[in-house]
Amino acid sequence: MVEAVALLATVAIVGRMPIEHQDWFIFGVLAAGSVLHMELVRGIERIREGGRANKPHTDLKSVWTFAGLLLLPPVLSVSLVVLTCIHQRLRLVRMQTFRWAYSSSVVLVATYAASAVLDAALPAGSYPGLPSSWQGVTIILAAAVMRWFVNSALVVAIILLSSPKTSAQEALGGFNSNLVEIAALCLGAVTALAVVHDPWYLVLILPPLLVLHRNLLLRQYEVAARTDAKTGLANAMHWSEVARTELSRADRDAKTVSVIMLDLDHFKRVNDSYGHLTGDAVLIAVAAALRKEARDYDLVGRFGGEEFMILLPDVDPIDIPAVAERFRRCISGLIVTSPDNHETVTVTASAGVVTFPAGGSDLDELLLAADAALYQAKEAGRDRTCFAPVSDRGPNNGTVPPARSVGD
């Protein structure tokens, strides 16, 4: 549907507005700027390419295409979009053709939506061109927001349709990435102003673009440094950092924090019987189930192998047994299809639970207590939950369950 709309709209604008010699000059300047920009950041974009899965990708080529939207007749502004997409496809992005075609069509549809805002809001005969006064700047901002909104909505829609397990927040991307995209559109308006007054000023546009690309790469590195690559959960280091922060807050505010340590039962048998690809599929399915069961401010992490950790701030200790059992049962109810032979695989999990401050005074003590409770669950027959006893140094007001085992 998106590709059809893009194609029909493109056919509709052919011959709509005459092209002057000056328009060809502006088109050439913006096209050259786009090519130079993409070539300068080619190495950065090749590194960033690995972070594209199930999330929008900010590439900043909108700096040039939005400038073209403001200054060029519709046919040339659309041609500039197509040119930048083709150049990106040939030199930067290694993606399937159908994905590239959809992404390019999304940019075209977003461009038409922004063009409609400019055409409707600006005085007759003044578009394309840069309007003056604060009213003109307001109209340009409205067109930029429309372009961002349509582009983001169509990208989020296709991510959610193709990957239903992806959350809307993940599909939309981080706040910083969307802010950078809006900044790129604003920089596009400045680029248009430079082209009109003196194209040589475009040289000053390139350094900020390089800095923005490096900022996006740094952000991607930061996310990768705290994320488990296989499951998308927090890795051990990041989980521990957040846990220590939560414990400090809980200690200051006299709150509780609970920790659940989950370990898949007989996971080695899954790898041995079905292969490591099936084992990976099980880990990914378990991660998705735990994340779905957790609250927004809980933190689920993978500590390596088949061990998972769940940080639960501000849960009444009386409710912890039921909460822990809910997490364990969500794993026991999973049915995973093997990618190798399409056989179905089921797994169970054992859990050890501890609560701060009754179960320990710091993270190291809590992890030791949770590990001991987990070992108890394994020894008691697996597929069950055990609770750590109250620490000698921790308060016991009767709200924390004593050491015991719950399971199937």
Side-chain angles (χ1 to χ4, degrees):
M1 289 174 60
V2 171
E3 290 166 1
V5 169
L7 180 61
L8 291 174
T10 301
V11 171
I13 65 169
V14 174
R16 179 183 170 189
M17 189 177 295
I19 301 175
E20 308 291 341
H21 291 295
Q22 181 69 11
D23 298 328
W24 285 110
F25 172 76
I26 294 174
F27 176 84
V29 169
L30 293 176
S34 174
V35 169
L36 179 59
H37 166 208
M38 290 293 110
E39 289 297 324
L40 288 174
V41 301
R42 186 183 175 197
I44 296 175
E45 287 301 295
R46 283 290 175 85
I47 297 173
R48 291 184 62 224
E49 189 176 347
R52 288 175 175 270
N54 294 340
K55 61 186 69 173
H57 185 79
T58 304
D59 54 29
L60 303 180
K61 65 178 183 289
S62 55
V63 169
W64 310 100
T65 56
F66 190 67
L69 171 66
L70 296 174
L71 298 178
L72 295 172
V75 171
L76 284 186
S77 67
V78 168
S79 299
L80 183 62
V81 170
V82 173
L83 177 65
T84 59
C85 290
I86 292 175
H87 178 250
Q88 183 186 41
R89 166 70 167 155
L90 295 177
R91 296 288 292 168
L92 274 75
V93 179
R94 294 184 291 263
M95 73 166 66
Q96 299 98 322
T97 301
F98 74 91
R99 291 182 182 273
W100 173 82
Y102 180 82
S103 297
S104 302
S105 299
V106 165
V107 177
L108 285 174
V109 172
T111 298
Y112 290 130
S115 176
V117 171
L118 293 170
D119 202 18
L122 292 174
S126 62
Y127 176 68
L130 284 179
S132 58
S133 76
W134 67 267
Q135 292 97 331
V137 173
T138 302
I139 294 171
I140 290 176
L141 285 174
V145 170
M146 175 62 77
R147 188 189 184 283
W148 168 81
F149 176 79
V150 172
N151 184 85
S152 298
L154 293 177
V155 169
V156 169
I158 201 64
I159 289 175
L160 295 179
L161 285 171
S162 60
S163 304
K165 294 182 179 179
T166 302
S167 68
Q169 185 176 1
E170 289 175 317
L172 184 59
F175 173 78
N176 288 338
S177 296
N178 285 283
L179 189 63
V180 168
E181 183 61 38
I182 293 175
L185 293 170
C186 294
L187 197 57
V190 176
T191 299
L193 189 65
V195 170
V196 169
H197 289 281
D198 189 344
W200 285 109
Y201 276 91
L202 291 181
V203 175
L204 302 180
I205 299 293
L206 292 173
L209 284 177
L210 294 177
V211 172
L212 285 174
H213 275 277
R214 290 189 176 277
N215 178 66
L216 290 171
L217 180 60
L218 179 60
R219 176 65 179 167
Q220 188 166 313
Y221 280 149
E222 289 175 349
V223 172
R226 62 174 189 248
T227 305
D228 175 64
K230 187 166 292 183
T231 62
L233 300 177
N235 60 22
M237 181 179 296
H238 178 56
W239 189 94
S240 298
E241 289 176 355
V242 174
R244 287 191 170 88
T245 301
E246 281 295 333
L247 291 176
S248 297
R249 183 189 65 82
D251 187 43
R252 182 182 65 249
D253 299 338
K255 301 285 187 178
T256 62
V257 177
S258 295
V259 173
I260 303 174
M261 182 180 290
L262 279 160
D263 190 82
L264 302 184
D265 298 326
H266 303 299
F267 184 69
K268 186 177 184 298
R269 293 181 187 175
V270 175
N271 284 328
D272 293 342
S273 302
Y274 300 95
H276 287 279
L277 287 179
T278 302
D280 290 347
V282 169
L283 291 174
I284 293 169
V286 168
L290 293 176
R291 193 160 35 201
K292 183 178 180 181
E293 199 66 47
R295 301 168 299 177
D296 290 340
Y297 49 90
D298 296 335
L299 182 63
V300 183
R302 181 181 176 221
F303 265 45
E306 63 272 23
E307 189 173 81
F308 298 86
M309 302 294 295
I310 307 165
L311 185 71
L312 300 162
D314 300 330
V315 177
D316 191 324
I318 295 176
D319 297 328
I320 282 297
V323 173
E325 276 295 280
R326 198 172 68 238
F327 276 105
R328 186 186 64 81
R329 290 178 184 274
C330 82
I331 295 175
S332 300
L334 283 177
I335 300 176
V336 182
T337 302
S338 169
D340 290 325
N341 50 28
H342 302 292
E343 292 185 53
T344 57
V345 181
T346 59
V347 292
T348 61
S350 301
V353 186
V354 65
T355 297
F356 170 87
S361 59
D362 58 33
L363 182 60
D364 292 335
E365 285 189 10
L366 293 173
L367 293 181
L368 286 173
D371 188 61
L374 175 61
Y375 180 79
Q376 180 186 348
K378 295 283 189 181
E379 288 292 299
R382 304 177 191 271
D383 193 20
R384 65 191 60 244
T385 302
C386 286
F387 300 88
V390 173
S391 169
D392 293 338
R393 285 172 286 180
N396 183 10
N397 56 10
T399 60
V400 180
R404 58 191 178 88
S405 173
V406 179
D408 296 332

